[in-house]
Amino acid sequence: MTWQAFEMDAKREGRAEGRAEGIIKSGRRHGFSDDIIIEDIMAELRCDLAYARKVMENYDRCETDEFHVSLNV
């Protein structure tokens, strides 16, 4: 993998982490169930159910600042 491709992957992952964090925070702030939040993560990140659940677990396990580092599931 070239360095440019690696950088693009890292930027793409960073955006996904930020979007997932925003979905979770917003969903919880508005009182949505975890199932609805997971559905939103799946739709936004275009991922499967297992990955969306893992994202949610990682978010719950970590402090917000650590979430960006730990999302590499």
Side-chain angles (χ1 to χ4, degrees):
M1 173 182 289
T2 67
W3 182 251
Q4 290 91 359
F6 178 77
E7 281 183 338
M8 288 177 66
D9 283 348
K11 287 179 184 177
R12 198 173 11 244
E13 285 177 13
R15 285 195 305 266
E17 293 163 358
R19 290 193 325 245
E21 183 177 4
I23 291 167
I24 295 167
K25 283 182 173 182
S26 178
R28 293 214 168 131
R29 183 174 49 247
H30 295 291
F32 295 141
S33 70
D34 284 354
D35 290 337
I36 296 296
I37 295 170
I38 287 172
E39 286 179 19
D40 288 348
I41 292 170
M42 290 170 52
E44 182 67 26
L45 301 185
R46 297 185 184 129
C47 64
D48 62 10
L49 179 61
Y51 184 80
R53 283 185 177 157
K54 189 69 172 172
V55 167
M56 190 82 146
E57 289 171 11
N58 285 347
Y59 180 83
D60 287 340
R61 187 178 42 214
C62 300
E63 291 294 321
T64 303
D65 293 338
E66 297 172 8
F67 178 67
H68 294 286
V69 175
S70 68
L71 187 57
N72 299 325
V73 250

